[in-house]
Amino acid sequence: MTETSYIFLAGASRGVGREIAINLTEQNQKVKALLRSEATRPELEAMGIKIVMGDALDKTAMEQAMQGDTIQAVISTIGGLPKDGERADYLGNKNLIDAAVKAGVQKFILVTSIGTGNSAVALPPQAMQTLAPVLAEKEKAEQHLIDSGLTYTIIRPGGLKSEPSTGNGVLTEDYKIAGTIHRADVAKLVCRCLFSQLGDNKIFSAIDRNMTYGQPEFTEFTV
């Protein structure tokens, strides 16, 4: 990453996105964070992060959010239950991906979840039934990114926990693996992929090596 370019982060207000923001600022990276609400703005600005306000569901707003600065890479962790109306899992990420293409961004990292796409086999049928609507949206977002022409990395974490990092978070291309992982460890894996070309144009499952379900044997991918 160059000194004049930013890493554009969507989802920095909470969860994995917040942990990524912490990681990047600790590494003295210039971060431009997209926020829909002003609630966490003071905290993020105190970390030295540049804030741009906008809703990912607004295509024009996303194009404008990426203007004015050189954006070297985009990281999106957006998704989850909407407070009102439409989910951002597909449409929000689609708008971000399209804006990134228009802005000439070099790399896009999308955080989805185990159960998306071919990793559906990793989850029990009951869980799949419950999560089917959101996973379908996430899969559409993944496919849109793959088709966009951007250099991409897709990371599908297992069940998320909010405890401190264990340092045991790993990536694997084995889509049959399931388990849990701490949000702080997902963030570390995302940042590793950001600064490495080894994970380019790949899809990973992310789990804690000591918290797997069912199938204990899998091959770790090192970036």
Side-chain angles (χ1 to χ4, degrees), residues 80-125:
L81 291 171
K83 288 180 182 167
D84 43 24
E86 189 153 14
R87 303 190 67 98
D89 295 88
Y90 170 58
L91 186 57
N93 281 311
K94 178 185 185 295
N95 290 338
L96 282 166
I97 292 160
D98 291 347
V101 171
K102 203 166 181 179
V105 169
Q106 295 177 17
K107 191 169 188 170
F108 196 113
I109 298 180
L110 177 62
V111 179
T112 60
S113 67
I114 286 179
T116 308
N118 61 357
S119 67
V121 297
L123 296 186

mmCIF file of all heavy atoms in Angstrom, residues 80-125:
data_model
loop_
_atom_site.group_PDB
_atom_site.id
_atom_site.type_symbol
_atom_site.label_atom_id
_atom_site.label_comp_id
_atom_site.label_asym_id
_atom_site.label_seq_id
_atom_site.Cartn_x
_atom_site.Cartn_y
_atom_site.Cartn_z
ATOM 1 N N GLY A 80 -25.832 -8.904 7.665
ATOM 2 C CA GLY A 80 -26.519 -9.077 8.940
ATOM 3 C C GLY A 80 -27.948 -8.586 8.875
ATOM 4 O O GLY A 80 -28.444 -8.222 7.818
ATOM 5 N N LEU A 81 -28.602 -8.563 10.007
ATOM 6 C CA LEU A 81 -30.028 -8.227 10.042
ATOM 7 C C LEU A 81 -30.239 -6.728 9.881
ATOM 8 O O LEU A 81 -29.676 -5.944 10.635
ATOM 9 C CB LEU A 81 -30.635 -8.689 11.375
ATOM 10 C CG LEU A 81 -30.719 -10.206 11.552
ATOM 11 C CD1 LEU A 81 -31.113 -10.535 12.983
ATOM 12 C CD2 LEU A 81 -31.697 -10.822 10.574
ATOM 13 N N PRO A 82 -31.050 -6.333 8.901
ATOM 14 C CA PRO A 82 -31.306 -4.904 8.706
ATOM 15 C C PRO A 82 -32.277 -4.374 9.750
ATOM 16 O O PRO A 82 -33.155 -5.105 10.208
ATOM 17 C CB PRO A 82 -31.943 -4.852 7.317
ATOM 18 C CG PRO A 82 -32.602 -6.180 7.168
ATOM 19 C CD PRO A 82 -31.813 -7.169 7.983
ATOM 20 N N LYS A 83 -32.096 -3.120 10.155
ATOM 21 C CA LYS A 83 -33.045 -2.518 11.102
ATOM 22 C C LYS A 83 -34.356 -2.224 10.395
ATOM 23 O O LYS A 83 -35.412 -2.264 10.977
ATOM 24 C CB LYS A 83 -32.450 -1.230 11.681
ATOM 25 C CG LYS A 83 -31.323 -1.513 12.663
ATOM 26 C CD LYS A 83 -30.756 -0.239 13.214
ATOM 27 C CE LYS A 83 -29.597 -0.522 14.147
ATOM 28 N NZ LYS A 83 -28.811 0.653 14.480
ATOM 29 N N ASP A 84 -34.240 -1.876 9.112
ATOM 30 C CA ASP A 84 -35.451 -1.556 8.363
ATOM 31 C C ASP A 84 -35.237 -1.918 6.892
ATOM 32 O O ASP A 84 -34.222 -1.600 6.314
ATOM 33 C CB ASP A 84 -35.780 -0.058 8.496
ATOM 34 C CG ASP A 84 -34.546 0.810 8.360
ATOM 35 O OD1 ASP A 84 -33.569 0.362 7.744
ATOM 36 O OD2 ASP A 84 -34.569 1.941 8.875
ATOM 37 N N GLY A 85 -36.202 -2.620 6.341
ATOM 38 C CA GLY A 85 -36.173 -2.843 4.896
ATOM 39 C C GLY A 85 -35.150 -3.848 4.417
ATOM 40 O O GLY A 85 -34.943 -4.896 5.028
ATOM 41 N N GLU A 86 -34.453 -3.485 3.346
ATOM 42 C CA GLU A 86 -33.652 -4.429 2.586
ATOM 43 C C GLU A 86 -32.318 -4.785 3.241
ATOM 44 O O GLU A 86 -31.673 -3.950 3.861
ATOM 45 C CB GLU A 86 -33.374 -3.840 1.196
ATOM 46 C CG GLU A 86 -32.743 -4.823 0.248
ATOM 47 C CD GLU A 86 -33.059 -4.496 -1.201
ATOM 48 O OE1 GLU A 86 -33.524 -3.383 -1.473
ATOM 49 O OE2 GLU A 86 -32.828 -5.365 -2.037
ATOM 50 N N ARG A 87 -31.916 -6.019 3.075
ATOM 51 C CA ARG A 87 -30.614 -6.460 3.559
ATOM 52 C C ARG A 87 -29.519 -5.865 2.681
ATOM 53 O O ARG A 87 -29.714 -5.662 1.493
ATOM 54 C CB ARG A 87 -30.495 -7.985 3.464
ATOM 55 C CG ARG A 87 -31.553 -8.770 4.192
ATOM 56 C CD ARG A 87 -31.162 -10.227 4.200
ATOM 57 N NE ARG A 87 -29.972 -10.379 5.010
ATOM 58 C CZ ARG A 87 -29.976 -10.768 6.293
ATOM 59 N NH1 ARG A 87 -31.091 -11.072 6.879
ATOM 60 N NH2 ARG A 87 -28.868 -10.870 6.957
ATOM 61 N N ALA A 88 -28.346 -5.664 3.269
ATOM 62 C CA ALA A 88 -27.210 -5.131 2.510
ATOM 63 C C ALA A 88 -26.310 -6.245 1.981
ATOM 64 O O ALA A 88 -25.377 -5.979 1.227
ATOM 65 C CB ALA A 88 -26.400 -4.184 3.390
ATOM 66 N N ASP A 89 -26.597 -7.491 2.368
ATOM 67 C CA ASP A 89 -25.670 -8.594 2.042
ATOM 68 C C ASP A 89 -25.367 -8.671 0.553
ATOM 69 O O ASP A 89 -24.217 -8.874 0.161
ATOM 70 C CB ASP A 89 -26.250 -9.926 2.517
ATOM 71 C CG ASP A 89 -26.359 -9.991 4.020
ATOM 72 O OD1 ASP A 89 -27.395 -9.554 4.553
ATOM 73 O OD2 ASP A 89 -25.413 -10.443 4.665
ATOM 74 N N TYR A 90 -26.391 -8.546 -0.283
ATOM 75 C CA TYR A 90 -26.144 -8.555 -1.728
ATOM 76 C C TYR A 90 -26.089 -7.141 -2.299
ATOM 77 O O TYR A 90 -25.054 -6.711 -2.812
ATOM 78 C CB TYR A 90 -27.191 -9.362 -2.487
ATOM 79 C CG TYR A 90 -27.077 -9.166 -3.989
ATOM 80 C CD1 TYR A 90 -25.881 -9.461 -4.657
ATOM 81 C CD2 TYR A 90 -28.138 -8.646 -4.732
ATOM 82 C CE1 TYR A 90 -25.761 -9.256 -6.030
ATOM 83 C CE2 TYR A 90 -28.024 -8.441 -6.105
ATOM 84 C CZ TYR A 90 -26.828 -8.755 -6.745
ATOM 85 O OH TYR A 90 -26.709 -8.539 -8.088
ATOM 86 N N LEU A 91 -27.175 -6.387 -2.177
ATOM 87 C CA LEU A 91 -27.244 -5.109 -2.876
ATOM 88 C C LEU A 91 -26.191 -4.120 -2.382
ATOM 89 O O LEU A 91 -25.546 -3.428 -3.176
ATOM 90 C CB LEU A 91 -28.648 -4.504 -2.732
ATOM 91 C CG LEU A 91 -28.896 -3.235 -3.550
ATOM 92 C CD1 LEU A 91 -28.632 -3.481 -5.032
ATOM 93 C CD2 LEU A 91 -30.307 -2.716 -3.341
ATOM 94 N N GLY A 92 -25.978 -4.067 -1.067
ATOM 95 C CA GLY A 92 -24.963 -3.168 -0.522
ATOM 96 C C GLY A 92 -23.582 -3.515 -1.046
ATOM 97 O O GLY A 92 -22.812 -2.644 -1.468
ATOM 98 N N ASN A 93 -23.270 -4.803 -1.027
ATOM 99 C CA ASN A 93 -21.955 -5.227 -1.528
ATOM 100 C C ASN A 93 -21.844 -5.053 -3.037
ATOM 101 O O ASN A 93 -20.785 -4.690 -3.545
ATOM 102 C CB ASN A 93 -21.675 -6.678 -1.116
ATOM 103 C CG ASN A 93 -21.228 -6.778 0.330
ATOM 104 O OD1 ASN A 93 -20.334 -6.053 0.769
ATOM 105 N ND2 ASN A 93 -21.854 -7.654 1.093
ATOM 106 N N LYS A 94 -22.942 -5.290 -3.757
ATOM 107 C CA LYS A 94 -22.932 -5.066 -5.203
ATOM 108 C C LYS A 94 -22.580 -3.615 -5.512
ATOM 109 O O LYS A 94 -21.749 -3.331 -6.394
ATOM 110 C CB LYS A 94 -24.293 -5.421 -5.812
ATOM 111 C CG LYS A 94 -24.374 -5.166 -7.314
ATOM 112 C CD LYS A 94 -25.781 -5.410 -7.850
ATOM 113 C CE LYS A 94 -25.833 -5.262 -9.367
ATOM 114 N NZ LYS A 94 -25.545 -3.878 -9.814
ATOM 115 N N ASN A 95 -23.215 -2.688 -4.792
ATOM 116 C CA ASN A 95 -22.941 -1.265 -5.022
ATOM 117 C C ASN A 95 -21.494 -0.911 -4.699
ATOM 118 O O ASN A 95 -20.862 -0.116 -5.408
ATOM 119 C CB ASN A 95 -23.894 -0.402 -4.195
ATOM 120 C CG ASN A 95 -25.330 -0.471 -4.708
ATOM 121 O OD1 ASN A 95 -25.565 -0.809 -5.866
ATOM 122 N ND2 ASN A 95 -26.286 -0.151 -3.853
ATOM 123 N N LEU A 96 -20.962 -1.503 -3.642
ATOM 124 C CA LEU A 96 -19.552 -1.282 -3.292
ATOM 125 C C LEU A 96 -18.615 -1.834 -4.371
ATOM 126 O O LEU A 96 -17.637 -1.189 -4.755
ATOM 127 C CB LEU A 96 -19.235 -1.949 -1.946
ATOM 128 C CG LEU A 96 -19.695 -1.227 -0.688
ATOM 129 C CD1 LEU A 96 -19.614 -2.158 0.509
ATOM 130 C CD2 LEU A 96 -18.858 0.030 -0.441
ATOM 131 N N ILE A 97 -18.920 -3.029 -4.847
ATOM 132 C CA ILE A 97 -18.092 -3.669 -5.878
ATOM 133 C C ILE A 97 -18.108 -2.836 -7.163
ATOM 134 O O ILE A 97 -17.061 -2.553 -7.753
ATOM 135 C CB ILE A 97 -18.573 -5.115 -6.137
ATOM 136 C CG1 ILE A 97 -18.299 -5.994 -4.910
ATOM 137 C CG2 ILE A 97 -17.907 -5.700 -7.389
ATOM 138 C CD1 ILE A 97 -19.132 -7.275 -4.849
ATOM 139 N N ASP A 98 -19.299 -2.411 -7.574
ATOM 140 C CA ASP A 98 -19.417 -1.614 -8.798
ATOM 141 C C ASP A 98 -18.681 -0.275 -8.661
ATOM 142 O O ASP A 98 -18.026 0.183 -9.606
ATOM 143 C CB ASP A 98 -20.896 -1.366 -9.130
ATOM 144 C CG ASP A 98 -21.615 -2.645 -9.554
ATOM 145 O OD1 ASP A 98 -20.926 -3.659 -9.837
ATOM 146 O OD2 ASP A 98 -22.863 -2.649 -9.581
ATOM 147 N N ALA A 99 -18.794 0.341 -7.481
ATOM 148 C CA ALA A 99 -18.099 1.614 -7.242
ATOM 149 C C ALA A 99 -16.583 1.406 -7.238
ATOM 150 O O ALA A 99 -15.824 2.260 -7.731
ATOM 151 C CB ALA A 99 -18.550 2.221 -5.914
ATOM 152 N N ALA A 100 -16.144 0.270 -6.716
ATOM 153 C CA ALA A 100 -14.709 -0.041 -6.686
ATOM 154 C C ALA A 100 -14.158 -0.212 -8.105
ATOM 155 O O ALA A 100 -13.057 0.258 -8.425
ATOM 156 C CB ALA A 100 -14.454 -1.300 -5.866
ATOM 157 N N VAL A 101 -14.930 -0.877 -8.953
ATOM 158 C CA VAL A 101 -14.522 -1.042 -10.354
ATOM 159 C C VAL A 101 -14.385 0.330 -11.011
ATOM 160 O O VAL A 101 -13.387 0.632 -11.678
ATOM 161 C CB VAL A 101 -15.551 -1.905 -11.129
ATOM 162 C CG1 VAL A 101 -15.253 -1.886 -12.624
ATOM 163 C CG2 VAL A 101 -15.538 -3.344 -10.612
ATOM 164 N N LYS A 102 -15.375 1.194 -10.788
ATOM 165 C CA LYS A 102 -15.393 2.535 -11.387
ATOM 166 C C LYS A 102 -14.223 3.382 -10.888
ATOM 167 O O LYS A 102 -13.684 4.214 -11.623
ATOM 168 C CB LYS A 102 -16.729 3.210 -11.053
ATOM 169 C CG LYS A 102 -17.128 4.309 -12.003
ATOM 170 C CD LYS A 102 -18.593 4.686 -11.826
ATOM 171 C CE LYS A 102 -18.981 5.783 -12.805
ATOM 172 N NZ LYS A 102 -20.400 6.156 -12.679
ATOM 173 N N ALA A 103 -13.843 3.167 -9.620
ATOM 174 C CA ALA A 103 -12.767 3.961 -9.010
ATOM 175 C C ALA A 103 -11.375 3.408 -9.317
ATOM 176 O O ALA A 103 -10.370 3.986 -8.893
ATOM 177 C CB ALA A 103 -12.979 4.034 -7.500
ATOM 178 N N GLY A 104 -11.311 2.289 -10.033
ATOM 179 C CA GLY A 104 -10.004 1.714 -10.378
ATOM 180 C C GLY A 104 -9.287 1.058 -9.211
ATOM 181 O O GLY A 104 -8.058 1.020 -9.160
ATOM 182 N N VAL A 105 -10.064 0.542 -8.265
ATOM 183 C CA VAL A 105 -9.485 -0.130 -7.087
ATOM 184 C C VAL A 105 -8.792 -1.420 -7.523
ATOM 185 O O VAL A 105 -9.231 -2.105 -8.446
ATOM 186 C CB VAL A 105 -10.606 -0.429 -6.058
ATOM 187 C CG1 VAL A 105 -10.116 -1.345 -4.949
ATOM 188 C CG2 VAL A 105 -11.140 0.872 -5.476
ATOM 189 N N GLN A 106 -7.693 -1.754 -6.837
ATOM 190 C CA GLN A 106 -6.908 -2.918 -7.238
ATOM 191 C C GLN A 106 -7.383 -4.225 -6.603
ATOM 192 O O GLN A 106 -7.221 -5.292 -7.175
ATOM 193 C CB GLN A 106 -5.428 -2.686 -6.879
ATOM 194 C CG GLN A 106 -4.796 -1.548 -7.666
ATOM 195 C CD GLN A 106 -3.363 -1.286 -7.234
ATOM 196 O OE1 GLN A 106 -2.731 -2.116 -6.583
ATOM 197 N NE2 GLN A 106 -2.845 -0.128 -7.588
ATOM 198 N N LYS A 107 -7.955 -4.130 -5.411
ATOM 199 C CA LYS A 107 -8.250 -5.376 -4.676
ATOM 200 C C LYS A 107 -9.500 -5.189 -3.833
ATOM 201 O O LYS A 107 -9.719 -4.116 -3.273
ATOM 202 C CB LYS A 107 -7.052 -5.723 -3.788
ATOM 203 C CG LYS A 107 -7.059 -7.102 -3.157
ATOM 204 C CD LYS A 107 -5.682 -7.367 -2.542
ATOM 205 C CE LYS A 107 -5.522 -8.789 -2.066
ATOM 206 N NZ LYS A 107 -4.132 -9.097 -1.688
ATOM 207 N N PHE A 108 -10.291 -6.257 -3.723
ATOM 208 C CA PHE A 108 -11.516 -6.210 -2.924
ATOM 209 C C PHE A 108 -11.575 -7.470 -2.070
ATOM 210 O O PHE A 108 -11.524 -8.577 -2.588
ATOM 211 C CB PHE A 108 -12.744 -6.152 -3.853
ATOM 212 C CG PHE A 108 -14.018 -5.717 -3.183
ATOM 213 C CD1 PHE A 108 -14.605 -4.510 -3.522
ATOM 214 C CD2 PHE A 108 -14.648 -6.518 -2.237
ATOM 215 C CE1 PHE A 108 -15.799 -4.100 -2.918
ATOM 216 C CE2 PHE A 108 -15.829 -6.127 -1.630
ATOM 217 C CZ PHE A 108 -16.400 -4.900 -1.973
ATOM 218 N N ILE A 109 -11.686 -7.287 -0.749
ATOM 219 C CA ILE A 109 -11.832 -8.420 0.173
ATOM 220 C C ILE A 109 -13.244 -8.405 0.731
ATOM 221 O O ILE A 109 -13.686 -7.409 1.316
ATOM 222 C CB ILE A 109 -10.800 -8.370 1.308
ATOM 223 C CG1 ILE A 109 -9.382 -8.456 0.732
ATOM 224 C CG2 ILE A 109 -11.038 -9.510 2.299
ATOM 225 C CD1 ILE A 109 -8.275 -8.406 1.778
ATOM 226 N N LEU A 110 -13.951 -9.501 0.529
ATOM 227 C CA LEU A 110 -15.340 -9.625 0.979
ATOM 228 C C LEU A 110 -15.428 -10.694 2.067
ATOM 229 O O LEU A 110 -14.970 -11.819 1.876
ATOM 230 C CB LEU A 110 -16.233 -10.003 -0.204
ATOM 231 C CG LEU A 110 -17.718 -10.250 0.094
ATOM 232 C CD1 LEU A 110 -18.389 -8.996 0.632
ATOM 233 C CD2 LEU A 110 -18.441 -10.745 -1.166
ATOM 234 N N VAL A 111 -15.995 -10.309 3.205
ATOM 235 C CA VAL A 111 -16.195 -11.250 4.314
ATOM 236 C C VAL A 111 -17.651 -11.696 4.303
ATOM 237 O O VAL A 111 -18.561 -10.874 4.449
ATOM 238 C CB VAL A 111 -15.823 -10.607 5.667
ATOM 239 C CG1 VAL A 111 -16.048 -11.592 6.808
ATOM 240 C CG2 VAL A 111 -14.364 -10.138 5.651
ATOM 241 N N THR A 112 -17.891 -12.994 4.119
ATOM 242 C CA THR A 112 -19.254 -13.529 4.114
ATOM 243 C C THR A 112 -19.403 -14.500 5.287
ATOM 244 O O THR A 112 -19.228 -14.098 6.424
ATOM 245 C CB THR A 112 -19.588 -14.182 2.753
ATOM 246 O OG1 THR A 112 -18.673 -15.254 2.482
ATOM 247 C CG2 THR A 112 -19.547 -13.154 1.633
ATOM 248 N N SER A 113 -19.696 -15.768 5.033
ATOM 249 C CA SER A 113 -19.748 -16.737 6.143
ATOM 250 C C SER A 113 -19.760 -18.158 5.601
ATOM 251 O O SER A 113 -20.198 -18.401 4.468
ATOM 252 C CB SER A 113 -20.985 -16.509 7.026
ATOM 253 O OG SER A 113 -22.160 -16.796 6.318
ATOM 254 N N ILE A 114 -19.274 -19.075 6.437
ATOM 255 C CA ILE A 114 -19.381 -20.499 6.107
ATOM 256 C C ILE A 114 -20.869 -20.822 5.952
ATOM 257 O O ILE A 114 -21.707 -20.370 6.726
ATOM 258 C CB ILE A 114 -18.731 -21.370 7.191
ATOM 259 C CG1 ILE A 114 -17.194 -21.279 7.097
ATOM 260 C CG2 ILE A 114 -19.171 -22.822 7.076
ATOM 261 C CD1 ILE A 114 -16.442 -22.078 8.148
ATOM 262 N N GLY A 115 -21.171 -21.599 4.919
ATOM 263 C CA GLY A 115 -22.556 -21.875 4.570
ATOM 264 C C GLY A 115 -22.913 -21.239 3.235
ATOM 265 O O GLY A 115 -23.897 -21.606 2.599
ATOM 266 N N THR A 116 -22.079 -20.274 2.809
ATOM 267 C CA THR A 116 -22.298 -19.606 1.529
ATOM 268 C C THR A 116 -21.749 -20.470 0.392
ATOM 269 O O THR A 116 -20.696 -21.091 0.532
ATOM 270 C CB THR A 116 -21.596 -18.232 1.515
ATOM 271 O OG1 THR A 116 -21.991 -17.498 2.674
ATOM 272 C CG2 THR A 116 -21.954 -17.435 0.278
ATOM 273 N N GLY A 117 -22.456 -20.495 -0.733
ATOM 274 C CA GLY A 117 -21.961 -21.212 -1.912
ATOM 275 C C GLY A 117 -21.722 -22.682 -1.628
ATOM 276 O O GLY A 117 -22.536 -23.347 -0.974
ATOM 277 N N ASN A 118 -20.570 -23.194 -2.104
ATOM 278 C CA ASN A 118 -20.298 -24.626 -1.945
ATOM 279 C C ASN A 118 -20.050 -25.036 -0.497
ATOM 280 O O ASN A 118 -20.074 -26.225 -0.174
ATOM 281 C CB ASN A 118 -19.129 -25.074 -2.851
ATOM 282 C CG ASN A 118 -17.823 -24.365 -2.524
ATOM 283 O OD1 ASN A 118 -17.772 -23.484 -1.664
ATOM 284 N ND2 ASN A 118 -16.759 -24.725 -3.230
ATOM 285 N N SER A 119 -19.840 -24.058 0.397
ATOM 286 C CA SER A 119 -19.622 -24.408 1.811
ATOM 287 C C SER A 119 -20.936 -24.697 2.536
ATOM 288 O O SER A 119 -20.949 -24.944 3.743
ATOM 289 C CB SER A 119 -18.852 -23.303 2.543
ATOM 290 O OG SER A 119 -19.609 -22.115 2.653
ATOM 291 N N ALA A 120 -22.056 -24.692 1.805
ATOM 292 C CA ALA A 120 -23.346 -25.082 2.399
ATOM 293 C C ALA A 120 -23.263 -26.482 3.005
ATOM 294 O O ALA A 120 -23.932 -26.781 4.000
ATOM 295 C CB ALA A 120 -24.448 -25.026 1.343
ATOM 296 N N VAL A 121 -22.423 -27.338 2.414
ATOM 297 C CA VAL A 121 -22.292 -28.725 2.907
ATOM 298 C C VAL A 121 -21.673 -28.792 4.299
ATOM 299 O O VAL A 121 -21.754 -29.814 4.974
ATOM 300 C CB VAL A 121 -21.452 -29.589 1.936
ATOM 301 C CG1 VAL A 121 -22.135 -29.708 0.590
ATOM 302 C CG2 VAL A 121 -20.034 -29.032 1.782
ATOM 303 N N ALA A 122 -21.047 -27.679 4.738
ATOM 304 C CA ALA A 122 -20.379 -27.673 6.046
ATOM 305 C C ALA A 122 -21.361 -27.491 7.204
ATOM 306 O O ALA A 122 -21.030 -27.785 8.355
ATOM 307 C CB ALA A 122 -19.318 -26.569 6.087
ATOM 308 N N LEU A 123 -22.563 -27.017 6.909
ATOM 309 C CA LEU A 123 -23.531 -26.737 7.972
ATOM 310 C C LEU A 123 -24.603 -27.814 8.046
ATOM 311 O O LEU A 123 -24.984 -28.386 7.029
ATOM 312 C CB LEU A 123 -24.210 -25.381 7.730
ATOM 313 C CG LEU A 123 -23.323 -24.140 7.769
ATOM 314 C CD1 LEU A 123 -24.187 -22.887 7.649
ATOM 315 C CD2 LEU A 123 -22.485 -24.071 9.038
ATOM 316 N N PRO A 124 -25.127 -28.079 9.255
ATOM 317 C CA PRO A 124 -26.217 -29.038 9.378
ATOM 318 C C PRO A 124 -27.469 -28.515 8.653
ATOM 319 O O PRO A 124 -27.671 -27.297 8.590
ATOM 320 C CB PRO A 124 -26.447 -29.144 10.887
ATOM 321 C CG PRO A 124 -25.619 -28.113 11.532
ATOM 322 C CD PRO A 124 -24.690 -27.531 10.540
ATOM 323 N N PRO A 125 -28.315 -29.410 8.147
ATOM 324 C CA PRO A 125 -29.500 -29.004 7.380
ATOM 325 C C PRO A 125 -30.390 -28.003 8.104
ATOM 326 O O PRO A 125 -30.918 -27.079 7.495
ATOM 327 C CB PRO A 125 -30.239 -30.326 7.150
ATOM 328 C CG PRO A 125 -29.176 -31.377 7.224
ATOM 329 C CD PRO A 125 -28.161 -30.876 8.196
#
